[in-house]
């Protein structure tokens, strides 16, 4: 089975490497050339458009920033849809709007192509180590056919419903993660106002009920002043916007998420959108000044 991979950024590049390691033949495409060259050196074949990727493969994976990007790459000019054959599968692993995901799935279905939405959680570390959690929406039998591919990239892999269901679960995940980042930064900001060493606070909190993957991954970066992105703050804001939109449609109360979105906006306004989500600590430092 030949796999196409489009979108080779912080997540897509290591996920594609894991597919190569597991013996899959890959055809890859990305907007900038550097990650394509890196994968070609490891045995992948390059392609210049979504269309070319589709023409040369059986299953196509996309890992792109936002809904308009996925729409453009799959349905746009020279897009995947122009190169597909009936029976193929498109797997979008990006975090996008559930509604847009269903829209794309319907357009592909009209060409006899199945789609799965399969967003992930676990961050850059999970992508590198092949230990992502993968939440999958779409037909159960298509999910089962693609399971070996998912197993090359993830550990916990769950079929959560029809098209769009994976994205809904991912937005719930993002609400939980974002509020965890806010609570971590708030605890750190409080500790910084005292004589207590922040590192010691984190060490002991990490052994108690307040422990979390967010704290284990991000607190050390905050302590060392490393603001480089594992997950860009700008993309976190995109996810909160999508979660708040979904809540609006459902009339669901997301009180703290709305607040978190605004707190992250302070960091964005300070020009930190391309930094990692841990740069939220800078928003607290700005308020405290
Ligand atoms: P990223 O580092 O910004 O990577 C996005 C990649 O897509 C870049 O390589 C970019 O190319 C490429 N791209 C953008 N538009 C394109 C187009 N029209 N055609 C071809 N390639 C295009 O983002 P990421 O962190 O990997 O995130 C990807 C998705 O996964 C997002 O939906 C994000 O929310 C989700 N996610 C991220 C994490 C995380 O921890 N980072 C965790 C879970 C889920 P360039 O090189 O030209 O920019």
């Amino acid at each position: 089975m030949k796999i196409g991979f489009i979108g080779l950024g912080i997540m897509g590049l290591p996920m594609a490497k894991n597919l190569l390691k597991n013996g899959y033949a890959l055809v890859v495409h990305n907007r900038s050339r550097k990650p394509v060259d890196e994968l070609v050196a490891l045995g992948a074949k390059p392609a210049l458009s979504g269309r070319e990727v589709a023409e040369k493969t059986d299953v196509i994976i996309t890992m792109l920033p936002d809904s308009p990007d996925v729409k453009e790459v799959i349905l746009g000019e020279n897009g995947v849809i122009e190169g597909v054959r009936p029976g193929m599968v498109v797997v979008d692993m990006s975090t996008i709007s559930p509604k847009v995901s269903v829209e794309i799935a319907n357009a592909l279905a009209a060409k006899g192509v199945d789609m799965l939405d399969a967003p992930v959680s676990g961050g850059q570390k999970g992508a590198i180590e092949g230990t992502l959690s993968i939440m999958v929406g779409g037909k159960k039998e298509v999910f089962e056919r693609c399971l070996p591919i998912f197993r090359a990239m993830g550990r916990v892999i769950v079929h959560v419903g029809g098209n769009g269901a994976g994205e809904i679960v991912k937005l719930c995940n993002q609400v939980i993660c974002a509020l965890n980042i806010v609570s971590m930064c708030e605890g750190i900001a409080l500790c910084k106002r005292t004589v207590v060493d922040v590192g010691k606070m984190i060490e002991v909190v990490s052994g108690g009920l307040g422990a979390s993957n967010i704290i284990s991954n991000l607190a050390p970066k905050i302590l060392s002043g490393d603001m480089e992105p594992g997950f860009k703050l700008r993309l976190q804001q995109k996810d909160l916007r999508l979660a708040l939109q979904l809540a609006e449609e459902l009339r669901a109360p997301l009180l703290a998420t709305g607040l978190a979105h605004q707190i992250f906006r302070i960091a964005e306004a300070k020009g930190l959108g391309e930094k990692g989500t841990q740069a939220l600590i800078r928003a607290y430092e700005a308020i405290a000044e």
Side-chain angles (χ1 to χ4, degrees):
M1 188 191 283
K2 263 200 166 175
I3 300 181
F5 207 115
I6 306 174
L8 305 166
I10 289 178
M11 298 296 284
L13 179 61
M15 289 162 74
K17 282 183 182 170
N18 282 328
L19 288 169
L20 281 174
K21 262 187 226 158
N22 278 266
Y24 285 103
L26 277 197
V27 177
V28 296
H29 171 63
N30 190 65
R31 188 172 53 192
S32 65
R33 183 73 203 195
K34 194 166 166 267
V36 172
D37 292 340
E38 200 176 326
L39 288 169
V40 167
L42 296 172
K45 297 264 180 295
L48 292 173
S49 65
R51 177 191 183 140
E52 190 186 339
V53 171
E55 284 167 352
K56 294 180 172 169
T57 57
D58 309 299
V59 173
I60 300 148
I61 298 174
T62 47
M63 193 53 170
L64 297 156
D66 201 351
S67 317
D69 307 304
V70 179
K71 227 173 147 173
E72 184 200 319
V73 165
I74 297 180
L75 304 183
E77 204 186 327
N78 261 328
V80 167
I81 199 159
E82 292 184 10
V84 289
R85 306 170 305 280
M88 287 176 68
V89 181
V90 172
V91 183
D92 178 35
M93 304 190 77
S94 332
T95 308
I96 67 166
S97 147
K99 267 190 175 168
V100 172
S101 190
V102 171
E103 212 182 290
I104 298 171
N106 289 341
L108 288 167
K111 295 255 176 186
V113 173
D114 278 302
M115 172 155 160
L116 297 175
D117 47 299
V120 305
S121 181
Q124 185 183 26
K125 187 167 177 277
I128 293 169
E129 292 171 357
T131 56
L132 293 167
S133 270
I134 310 180
M135 40 220 97
V136 189
K139 286 184 202 149
K140 187 84 189 277
E141 66 268 23
V142 180
F143 164 75
E144 273 158 10
R145 244 193 294 149
C146 291
L147 251 184
I149 299 174
F150 291 136
R151 287 207 181 104
M153 299 180 281
R155 192 183 281 158
V156 177
I157 302 152
V158 182
H159 180 249
V160 292
N163 287 120
E167 296 296 352
I168 290 172
V169 171
K170 173 65 183 177
L171 296 184
C172 300
N173 179 83
Q174 290 310 82
V175 164
I176 295 167
C177 286
L179 292 176
N180 200 179
I181 296 169
V182 171
S183 67
M184 170 185 67
C185 287
E186 214 148 295
I188 290 175
L190 176 62
C191 192
K192 274 187 169 173
R193 282 285 173 120
T194 72
V195 293
V196 174
D197 179 70
V198 177
K200 288 211 159 55
M201 181 276 283
I202 291 293
E203 184 186 343
V204 71
V205 166
S206 298
L209 265 186
S212 69
N213 283 334
I214 291 282
I215 295 181
S216 333
N217 288 342
L218 297 183
K221 292 187 179 187
I222 290 177
L223 289 174
S224 69
D226 174 8
M227 295 295 140
E228 287 316 300
F231 183 39
K232 291 171 191 160
L233 201 138
R234 166 173 65 79
L235 292 179
Q236 168 78 75
Q237 283 295 70
K238 175 255 309 178
D239 293 352
L240 293 186
R241 176 176 46 77
L242 292 173
L244 289 165
Q245 271 168 9
L246 181 64
E248 181 65 26
E249 286 159 23
L250 300 169
R251 297 280 179 272
L254 279 193
L255 314 179
T257 306
L259 181 59
H261 192 43
Q262 296 299 322
I263 302 173
F264 273 104
R265 189 165 287 166
I266 300 171
E268 262 190 318
K270 287 185 73 64
L272 298 167
E274 296 300 320
K275 297 293 180 191
T277 47
Q278 72 274 19
L280 186 70
I281 195 67
R282 299 279 183 251
Y284 278 92
E285 287 164 4
I287 298 166
E289 269 165 13

